[in-house]
């Protein structure tokens, strides 16, 4: 089974930056779509950004221009560079691996806390 290990969360001031990492236990990026989700207390988990197996990316409107998802295939690692962070970005961020249109396994990281506060 694929395991995803996240790191890079922390406490930052508004306007600050963080880079989240998601290390996969196997080479999966050729077939899996990799996504970053976030979940604030009392809120539904939402997809923030994803990168397809072909390398195309997409973002929710609220993070466009501020967040960048990327991957390093050699390291089996996906990143989420978050710039100009806002208090409303505060959430637990989760890494996800999925095959679009497939009923097969979906994998999740353990989550990493991002807190944006003065």
């Amino acid at each position: 089974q694929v395991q995803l290990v996240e790191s890079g969360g922390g406490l930052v001031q508004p306007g600050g930056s963080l880079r989240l990492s998601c290390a996969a236990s196997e080479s999966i990026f050729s077939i899996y779509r990799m996504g970053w989700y976030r979940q604030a207390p009392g809120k539904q988990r939402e997809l923030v950004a994803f990168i397809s197996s072909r390398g195309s990316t997409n973002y929710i409107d609220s993070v466009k221009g501020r967040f960048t998802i990327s991957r390093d295939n050699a390291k089996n690692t996906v990143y989420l560079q978050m710039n100009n962070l806002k208090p409303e970005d505060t959430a637990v961020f989760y890494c996800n691996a999925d095959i679009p249109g497939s009923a097969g396994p979906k994998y999740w990281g353990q989550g990493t806390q991002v807190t944006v506060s003065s």
Side-chain angles (χ1 to χ4, degrees):
Q1 181 173 319
V2 175
Q3 295 186 22
L4 305 175
V5 180
E6 302 172 1
S7 61
L11 173 64
V12 297
Q13 297 184 30
S17 298
L18 284 173
R19 189 191 194 193
L20 306 183
S21 298
C22 173
S25 61
E26 304 174 24
S27 181
I28 62 172
F29 300 156
S30 63
I31 58 172
Y32 280 84
R33 183 183 73 179
M34 304 300 299
W36 284 97
Y37 289 72
R38 67 185 179 190
Q39 187 168 25
K43 303 294 184 180
Q44 185 179 17
R45 187 176 299 185
E46 65 175 348
L47 178 63
V48 176
F50 69 81
I51 181 167
S52 76
S53 61
R54 298 183 180 182
S56 61
T57 60
N58 206 353
Y59 306 86
I60 57 172
D61 288 343
S62 62
V63 308
K64 287 181 178 177
R66 300 191 297 121
F67 291 10
T68 302
I69 188 170
S70 62
R71 69 188 186 199
D72 186 330
N73 293 344
K75 294 182 178 180
N76 296 326
T77 300
V78 178
Y79 304 97
L80 185 67
Q81 178 67 46
M82 304 185 294
N83 298 324
N84 191 24
L85 283 161
K86 303 176 179 181
E88 52 263 43
D89 295 319
T90 296
V92 178
F93 281 71
Y94 297 90
C95 181
N96 163 262
D98 185 27
I99 302 176
S102 174
K106 297 182 179 182
Y107 302 102
W108 293 91
Q110 80 284 359
T112 184
Q113 177 71 49
V114 172
T115 302
V116 185
S117 176
S118 298

